[in-house]
Amino acid sequence: MKTGTQDEAPPAAATGRDTVCTVRGLVRTYPAGSGARRRPGLRRGGAAADAAPVRASDGIDLDVRRGELFGILGPNGAGKTTLVRQLTGLLRPDAGRIDVLGHDLVRHPDRAARLIGYLGQESTALDELTVALAAETTGRLRGLDATAARAARDAVLDELELGPLAGRPIKRLSGGQRRLACFAATLVGERPVLVLDEPTTGMDPVARRAVWAAVGRRRSEHGTTVLLVTHNVIEAETVLDRVAVLDAGRVIACDTPAGLRALVADEVRLDLVWRDEPPLDLPAVAALRPLADVSGRRWTLRLPHARARATMADLTGGPAYPWLDDITLAAPSLEDVYLALGGRAKGLVKS
Amino acid sequence: MTVIAQSGPGPGQGGIAAPAAGGPAQAPAELAPRARLWPAFAAVYRAQLSRARVARIPLLFVATFQSVGIMIMMRGVVDAGDGEAARAVVAGSSVLVVAFVALNLLAQYFGQLRASGGLDHYATLPVPPASVVLGAAGAYASFTVPGTLLTAVAGCVLFHLTLTTVWVLAVVIPLAGAALSGLGAALGLLAPRQEIATLLGQLGMSAALLLGVLPASHLPEVIRWARDLLPSTYGVQAFARTLGGSAHTDWAAVAGDLSVCAGVGVVSLGVATWAYRRAACR
């Protein structure tokens, strides 16, 4: 089995481990028009308007190693959910190979349920159950007997501090609490691989910490491998071991967050927020306009270090300063990496 | 049930085969056990039943009020006392509760679950498709018990029919419930869109209402054929036959009607299970 055949060299931290999940040449095409809209797993902006079939997975190769917290990062419509739906046996690829722990999941998609715990984006099947019953039922349906399911339910609800909400129906909870309850159900009945599709959406920091602590515990105690889908750059940078950056159904980079940031290490990001209209009659400002990524009153510039320092000095010491509301110089984030690699869509979030 | 991969600390647990680190050959990992049919059915049934507390109670009232309302209305045109018309009204209204909940509401539920991606939850668990379909169908059929009983008793009192054979509902409800909930589940899972699932459920219930409540001999022949095609008809007939009292009941015909319900139930639940499998993995 090959490891580290990505665009980038494998990071030192991940070598010497066996591969848990191998994906080769994965292709999944949706028919153009209403066909793409019909499928709930696919969220592609404007896909329905395209005449050509949409390649939601366009030749994806991945290697995920045992015990890794591996991220799939990309904006909405990049094909993240389509990819994980194929990994979890919900969607059949048109071509390619998926191997999880020695099992061919393209030929035997039914085995995915016996290897992978999956947290999808939808909770409609659990919405009208209480938190406790959702967890217990999911455990029963993962093959636990009644006693084991109840014990696992209690342990997980305690771990995630959901005890006080145990008797409440999931649909009456807030968005973040609902997500946490569904995450709890995913954990009942241990699996060697967890696939989590945007698990922390809508959660407050306390709930997020509970999620990452629970994930960490399973990795250290059971060697659980975790695949995380996210469009949140900050989360990707702080929790992931490695990250595959997806754009339009292709992996455009795969490395550790630090390794990816090193790709744009010679650049820094300069954010300018103008009080009102920017003074374009000033030559220093006019010269920056073509380089800026404009979003309302905010200009984002990605500049080499020296140029950024000079620009900073020009702006703070020059006539443009009174027009400025805020000025920030920052190290590049994964969003900058994504854009530098030719990522086409916007929609990565930083919160 | 054996519980592998669910407990026990330490790396190498959790159903993972433990090959030498970096070893070239990797034996396939041990798979976690599947959920077995009946325990999984019981878990789904229990979960679905609990939803009644959250979501279904108002609709159960609607089902009962609708049937009782129809009987009160029909009392104006149908004489009380044992007769074909009175029996048809009471039996038809009682089975209408089953059609409302098991056919109409279940078709809507599965239609909504499918459209919203809720089926993914079950599809990513190692659970037999039949347990999901039977569990939901069983729960919806159970939801109809109080309303059907209430309607039958109210109807018998209103139309001066005997209450001595109401026990036959203990057989009619499960068998008509199986037939109609199987049909509802199949419609909900096969309809290409959620709105169509809702529409089909409503139409099925309307057909059960129109063709079930009116006595068969008053209907034109074409309509009678349509009536014979509707599974709820056989539940209505079975119950109607007994409403004259045990002594005047043709029990062989009752058994015949009920076996039609059972047969339709087996087929429709089979179709629904197939439809679920088809809807869950694309």
Side-chain angles (χ1 to χ4, degrees), chain A residues 262-292:
Chain A
L263 294 174
V264 288
D266 52 344
E267 285 188 352
V268 282
R269 196 179 66 230
L270 182 62
D271 277 306
L272 307 175
V273 182
W274 302 101
R275 281 183 200 283
D276 203 348
E277 286 304 305
L280 288 170
D281 49 326
L282 297 175
V285 176
L288 293 176
R289 178 65 187 80
L291 306 173

mmCIF file of all heavy atoms in Angstrom, chain A residues 262-292:
data_model
loop_
_atom_site.group_PDB
_atom_site.id
_atom_site.type_symbol
_atom_site.label_atom_id
_atom_site.label_comp_id
_atom_site.label_asym_id
_atom_site.label_seq_id
_atom_site.Cartn_x
_atom_site.Cartn_y
_atom_site.Cartn_z
ATOM 1 N N ALA A 262 3.636 27.135 4.672
ATOM 2 C CA ALA A 262 4.997 27.412 4.197
ATOM 3 C C ALA A 262 5.006 27.708 2.700
ATOM 4 O O ALA A 262 5.922 28.367 2.200
ATOM 5 C CB ALA A 262 5.907 26.224 4.509
ATOM 6 N N LEU A 263 3.990 27.236 1.987
ATOM 7 C CA LEU A 263 3.918 27.521 0.552
ATOM 8 C C LEU A 263 3.796 29.012 0.286
ATOM 9 O O LEU A 263 4.184 29.492 -0.777
ATOM 10 C CB LEU A 263 2.697 26.814 -0.072
ATOM 11 C CG LEU A 263 2.697 25.300 -0.099
ATOM 12 C CD1 LEU A 263 1.367 24.780 -0.612
ATOM 13 C CD2 LEU A 263 3.829 24.801 -0.992
ATOM 14 N N VAL A 264 3.205 29.717 1.244
ATOM 15 C CA VAL A 264 3.029 31.155 1.039
ATOM 16 C C VAL A 264 3.793 31.931 2.118
ATOM 17 O O VAL A 264 3.432 33.033 2.483
ATOM 18 C CB VAL A 264 1.529 31.547 1.065
ATOM 19 C CG1 VAL A 264 0.833 31.059 -0.186
ATOM 20 C CG2 VAL A 264 0.848 31.010 2.297
ATOM 21 N N ALA A 265 4.888 31.305 2.611
ATOM 22 C CA ALA A 265 5.614 31.905 3.723
ATOM 23 C C ALA A 265 6.270 33.232 3.340
ATOM 24 O O ALA A 265 6.541 34.062 4.203
ATOM 25 C CB ALA A 265 6.673 30.937 4.236
ATOM 26 N N ASP A 266 6.513 33.432 2.039
ATOM 27 C CA ASP A 266 7.158 34.690 1.652
ATOM 28 C C ASP A 266 6.143 35.821 1.503
ATOM 29 O O ASP A 266 6.475 36.907 1.057
ATOM 30 C CB ASP A 266 7.939 34.489 0.345
ATOM 31 C CG ASP A 266 7.071 33.868 -0.742
ATOM 32 O OD1 ASP A 266 5.992 33.321 -0.391
ATOM 33 O OD2 ASP A 266 7.449 33.954 -1.920
ATOM 34 N N GLU A 267 4.882 35.544 1.862
ATOM 35 C CA GLU A 267 3.875 36.596 1.752
ATOM 36 C C GLU A 267 3.289 36.902 3.120
ATOM 37 O O GLU A 267 3.313 36.066 4.015
ATOM 38 C CB GLU A 267 2.727 36.129 0.851
ATOM 39 C CG GLU A 267 3.074 36.134 -0.610
ATOM 40 C CD GLU A 267 1.851 35.865 -1.478
ATOM 41 O OE1 GLU A 267 0.794 35.526 -0.912
ATOM 42 O OE2 GLU A 267 1.978 36.009 -2.695
ATOM 43 N N VAL A 268 2.781 38.088 3.265
ATOM 44 C CA VAL A 268 1.963 38.384 4.433
ATOM 45 C C VAL A 268 0.658 38.989 3.954
ATOM 46 O O VAL A 268 0.553 39.458 2.816
ATOM 47 C CB VAL A 268 2.634 39.380 5.416
ATOM 48 C CG1 VAL A 268 3.680 38.704 6.250
ATOM 49 C CG2 VAL A 268 3.188 40.576 4.683
ATOM 50 N N ARG A 269 -0.305 38.962 4.836
ATOM 51 C CA ARG A 269 -1.596 39.519 4.457
ATOM 52 C C ARG A 269 -1.796 40.863 5.124
ATOM 53 O O ARG A 269 -1.555 41.013 6.331
ATOM 54 C CB ARG A 269 -2.715 38.560 4.863
ATOM 55 C CG ARG A 269 -4.024 38.901 4.164
ATOM 56 C CD ARG A 269 -5.140 37.948 4.529
ATOM 57 N NE ARG A 269 -5.470 38.089 5.931
ATOM 58 C CZ ARG A 269 -5.561 37.069 6.767
ATOM 59 N NH1 ARG A 269 -5.330 35.843 6.353
ATOM 60 N NH2 ARG A 269 -5.881 37.271 8.017
ATOM 61 N N LEU A 270 -2.190 41.829 4.341
ATOM 62 C CA LEU A 270 -2.440 43.164 4.857
ATOM 63 C C LEU A 270 -3.927 43.464 4.668
ATOM 64 O O LEU A 270 -4.445 43.420 3.557
ATOM 65 C CB LEU A 270 -1.583 44.163 4.062
ATOM 66 C CG LEU A 270 -1.642 45.622 4.463
ATOM 67 C CD1 LEU A 270 -1.137 45.816 5.892
ATOM 68 C CD2 LEU A 270 -0.793 46.470 3.515
ATOM 69 N N ASP A 271 -4.607 43.703 5.779
ATOM 70 C CA ASP A 271 -6.036 44.046 5.715
ATOM 71 C C ASP A 271 -6.221 45.525 6.015
ATOM 72 O O ASP A 271 -5.747 46.012 7.047
ATOM 73 C CB ASP A 271 -6.823 43.225 6.751
ATOM 74 C CG ASP A 271 -7.172 41.846 6.238
ATOM 75 O OD1 ASP A 271 -7.761 41.756 5.159
ATOM 76 O OD2 ASP A 271 -6.816 40.862 6.920
ATOM 77 N N LEU A 272 -6.886 46.201 5.117
ATOM 78 C CA LEU A 272 -7.170 47.623 5.330
ATOM 79 C C LEU A 272 -8.674 47.793 5.405
ATOM 80 O O LEU A 272 -9.406 47.259 4.565
ATOM 81 C CB LEU A 272 -6.654 48.459 4.154
ATOM 82 C CG LEU A 272 -5.199 48.273 3.755
ATOM 83 C CD1 LEU A 272 -4.896 49.086 2.497
ATOM 84 C CD2 LEU A 272 -4.288 48.699 4.890
ATOM 85 N N VAL A 273 -9.142 48.532 6.405
ATOM 86 C CA VAL A 273 -10.572 48.847 6.466
ATOM 87 C C VAL A 273 -10.698 50.369 6.407
ATOM 88 O O VAL A 273 -10.148 51.077 7.256
ATOM 89 C CB VAL A 273 -11.217 48.305 7.754
ATOM 90 C CG1 VAL A 273 -12.708 48.608 7.758
ATOM 91 C CG2 VAL A 273 -10.979 46.815 7.878
ATOM 92 N N TRP A 274 -11.377 50.852 5.377
ATOM 93 C CA TRP A 274 -11.516 52.307 5.186
ATOM 94 C C TRP A 274 -12.712 52.804 5.970
ATOM 95 O O TRP A 274 -13.710 52.106 6.127
ATOM 96 C CB TRP A 274 -11.688 52.634 3.688
ATOM 97 C CG TRP A 274 -10.554 52.135 2.837
ATOM 98 C CD1 TRP A 274 -10.543 51.032 2.065
ATOM 99 C CD2 TRP A 274 -9.262 52.727 2.722
ATOM 100 N NE1 TRP A 274 -9.319 50.884 1.461
ATOM 101 C CE2 TRP A 274 -8.510 51.920 1.838
ATOM 102 C CE3 TRP A 274 -8.659 53.872 3.271
ATOM 103 C CZ2 TRP A 274 -7.186 52.198 1.495
ATOM 104 C CZ3 TRP A 274 -7.342 54.144 2.920
ATOM 105 C CH2 TRP A 274 -6.622 53.316 2.042
ATOM 106 N N ARG A 275 -12.597 54.063 6.439
ATOM 107 C CA ARG A 275 -13.720 54.674 7.167
ATOM 108 C C ARG A 275 -14.916 54.873 6.245
ATOM 109 O O ARG A 275 -16.055 54.734 6.652
ATOM 110 C CB ARG A 275 -13.310 56.063 7.683
ATOM 111 C CG ARG A 275 -12.477 55.998 8.928
ATOM 112 C CD ARG A 275 -12.166 57.396 9.436
ATOM 113 N NE ARG A 275 -11.010 57.346 10.319
ATOM 114 C CZ ARG A 275 -11.078 56.915 11.572
ATOM 115 N NH1 ARG A 275 -12.231 56.504 12.067
ATOM 116 N NH2 ARG A 275 -9.983 56.861 12.309
ATOM 117 N N ASP A 276 -14.609 55.237 5.011
ATOM 118 C CA ASP A 276 -15.659 55.563 4.054
ATOM 119 C C ASP A 276 -15.127 55.112 2.701
ATOM 120 O O ASP A 276 -14.459 54.085 2.624
ATOM 121 C CB ASP A 276 -15.901 57.082 4.095
ATOM 122 C CG ASP A 276 -17.287 57.412 3.577
ATOM 123 O OD1 ASP A 276 -17.927 56.518 2.996
ATOM 124 O OD2 ASP A 276 -17.729 58.562 3.737
ATOM 125 N N GLU A 277 -15.346 55.900 1.657
ATOM 126 C CA GLU A 277 -14.761 55.579 0.359
ATOM 127 C C GLU A 277 -13.247 55.727 0.442
ATOM 128 O O GLU A 277 -12.750 56.688 1.025
ATOM 129 C CB GLU A 277 -15.311 56.538 -0.709
ATOM 130 C CG GLU A 277 -16.746 56.254 -1.113
ATOM 131 C CD GLU A 277 -16.920 54.829 -1.607
ATOM 132 O OE1 GLU A 277 -16.196 54.433 -2.550
ATOM 133 O OE2 GLU A 277 -17.752 54.094 -1.042
ATOM 134 N N PRO A 278 -12.454 54.784 -0.105
ATOM 135 C CA PRO A 278 -10.992 54.941 -0.085
ATOM 136 C C PRO A 278 -10.548 56.132 -0.951
ATOM 137 O O PRO A 278 -11.165 56.400 -1.994
ATOM 138 C CB PRO A 278 -10.492 53.621 -0.664
ATOM 139 C CG PRO A 278 -11.654 52.977 -1.329
ATOM 140 C CD PRO A 278 -12.879 53.526 -0.702
ATOM 141 N N PRO A 279 -9.538 56.878 -0.526
ATOM 142 C CA PRO A 279 -9.077 58.063 -1.273
ATOM 143 C C PRO A 279 -8.255 57.649 -2.494
ATOM 144 O O PRO A 279 -7.010 57.670 -2.453
ATOM 145 C CB PRO A 279 -8.236 58.804 -0.238
ATOM 146 C CG PRO A 279 -7.737 57.740 0.682
ATOM 147 C CD PRO A 279 -8.742 56.637 0.676
ATOM 148 N N LEU A 280 -8.922 57.311 -3.569
ATOM 149 C CA LEU A 280 -8.224 56.782 -4.757
ATOM 150 C C LEU A 280 -7.422 57.854 -5.487
ATOM 151 O O LEU A 280 -6.604 57.538 -6.359
ATOM 152 C CB LEU A 280 -9.240 56.144 -5.722
ATOM 153 C CG LEU A 280 -9.816 54.810 -5.234
ATOM 154 C CD1 LEU A 280 -10.973 54.361 -6.100
ATOM 155 C CD2 LEU A 280 -8.735 53.727 -5.194
ATOM 156 N N ASP A 281 -7.651 59.120 -5.124
ATOM 157 C CA ASP A 281 -6.846 60.175 -5.745
ATOM 158 C C ASP A 281 -5.428 60.193 -5.195
ATOM 159 O O ASP A 281 -4.528 60.797 -5.784
ATOM 160 C CB ASP A 281 -7.533 61.530 -5.560
ATOM 161 C CG ASP A 281 -7.957 61.757 -4.111
ATOM 162 O OD1 ASP A 281 -8.332 60.751 -3.443
ATOM 163 O OD2 ASP A 281 -7.898 62.904 -3.631
ATOM 164 N N LEU A 282 -5.189 59.543 -4.066
ATOM 165 C CA LEU A 282 -3.831 59.452 -3.538
ATOM 166 C C LEU A 282 -3.077 58.348 -4.290
ATOM 167 O O LEU A 282 -3.569 57.226 -4.381
ATOM 168 C CB LEU A 282 -3.854 59.118 -2.044
ATOM 169 C CG LEU A 282 -4.513 60.163 -1.134
ATOM 170 C CD1 LEU A 282 -4.578 59.656 0.289
ATOM 171 C CD2 LEU A 282 -3.761 61.494 -1.204
ATOM 172 N N PRO A 283 -1.907 58.649 -4.834
ATOM 173 C CA PRO A 283 -1.194 57.661 -5.659
ATOM 174 C C PRO A 283 -0.887 56.364 -4.908
ATOM 175 O O PRO A 283 -1.011 55.280 -5.469
ATOM 176 C CB PRO A 283 0.100 58.378 -6.053
ATOM 177 C CG PRO A 283 -0.138 59.819 -5.781
ATOM 178 C CD PRO A 283 -1.205 59.941 -4.761
ATOM 179 N N ALA A 284 -0.532 56.470 -3.619
ATOM 180 C CA ALA A 284 -0.182 55.267 -2.855
ATOM 181 C C ALA A 284 -1.378 54.315 -2.767
ATOM 182 O O ALA A 284 -1.233 53.091 -2.858
ATOM 183 C CB ALA A 284 0.279 55.656 -1.450
ATOM 184 N N VAL A 285 -2.550 54.894 -2.610
ATOM 185 C CA VAL A 285 -3.766 54.090 -2.502
ATOM 186 C C VAL A 285 -4.166 53.555 -3.872
ATOM 187 O O VAL A 285 -4.515 52.376 -4.032
ATOM 188 C CB VAL A 285 -4.907 54.920 -1.868
ATOM 189 C CG1 VAL A 285 -6.200 54.120 -1.836
ATOM 190 C CG2 VAL A 285 -4.514 55.374 -0.472
ATOM 191 N N ALA A 286 -4.093 54.402 -4.874
ATOM 192 C CA ALA A 286 -4.458 53.994 -6.228
ATOM 193 C C ALA A 286 -3.602 52.821 -6.701
ATOM 194 O O ALA A 286 -4.086 51.909 -7.383
ATOM 195 C CB ALA A 286 -4.330 55.165 -7.190
ATOM 196 N N ALA A 287 -2.322 52.823 -6.296
ATOM 197 C CA ALA A 287 -1.416 51.754 -6.719
ATOM 198 C C ALA A 287 -1.788 50.420 -6.086
ATOM 199 O O ALA A 287 -1.516 49.354 -6.649
ATOM 200 C CB ALA A 287 0.020 52.130 -6.346
ATOM 201 N N LEU A 288 -2.404 50.470 -4.899
ATOM 202 C CA LEU A 288 -2.761 49.219 -4.213
ATOM 203 C C LEU A 288 -4.060 48.620 -4.754
ATOM 204 O O LEU A 288 -4.289 47.420 -4.657
ATOM 205 C CB LEU A 288 -2.935 49.476 -2.710
ATOM 206 C CG LEU A 288 -1.678 49.860 -1.947
ATOM 207 C CD1 LEU A 288 -2.041 50.170 -0.492
ATOM 208 C CD2 LEU A 288 -0.648 48.736 -1.990
ATOM 209 N N ARG A 289 -4.909 49.480 -5.329
ATOM 210 C CA ARG A 289 -6.254 49.055 -5.729
ATOM 211 C C ARG A 289 -6.258 47.788 -6.609
ATOM 212 O O ARG A 289 -7.030 46.855 -6.339
ATOM 213 C CB ARG A 289 -6.958 50.235 -6.427
ATOM 214 C CG ARG A 289 -8.358 49.939 -6.941
ATOM 215 C CD ARG A 289 -9.309 49.652 -5.778
ATOM 216 N NE ARG A 289 -10.623 49.213 -6.250
ATOM 217 C CZ ARG A 289 -10.905 47.987 -6.651
ATOM 218 N NH1 ARG A 289 -9.966 47.053 -6.648
ATOM 219 N NH2 ARG A 289 -12.119 47.674 -7.054
ATOM 220 N N PRO A 290 -5.405 47.703 -7.626
ATOM 221 C CA PRO A 290 -5.445 46.501 -8.487
ATOM 222 C C PRO A 290 -5.025 45.214 -7.757
ATOM 223 O O PRO A 290 -5.365 44.111 -8.197
ATOM 224 C CB PRO A 290 -4.452 46.808 -9.610
ATOM 225 C CG PRO A 290 -4.107 48.241 -9.492
ATOM 226 C CD PRO A 290 -4.409 48.690 -8.115
ATOM 227 N N LEU A 291 -4.265 45.357 -6.652
ATOM 228 C CA LEU A 291 -3.780 44.171 -5.938
ATOM 229 C C LEU A 291 -4.771 43.692 -4.877
ATOM 230 O O LEU A 291 -4.623 42.592 -4.334
ATOM 231 C CB LEU A 291 -2.453 44.495 -5.231
ATOM 232 C CG LEU A 291 -1.337 45.073 -6.098
ATOM 233 C CD1 LEU A 291 -0.171 45.502 -5.226
ATOM 234 C CD2 LEU A 291 -0.885 44.043 -7.118
ATOM 235 N N ALA A 292 -5.757 44.541 -4.602
ATOM 236 C CA ALA A 292 -6.600 44.255 -3.438
ATOM 237 C C ALA A 292 -7.784 43.370 -3.793
ATOM 238 O O ALA A 292 -8.327 43.454 -4.883
ATOM 239 C CB ALA A 292 -7.094 45.564 -2.833
#
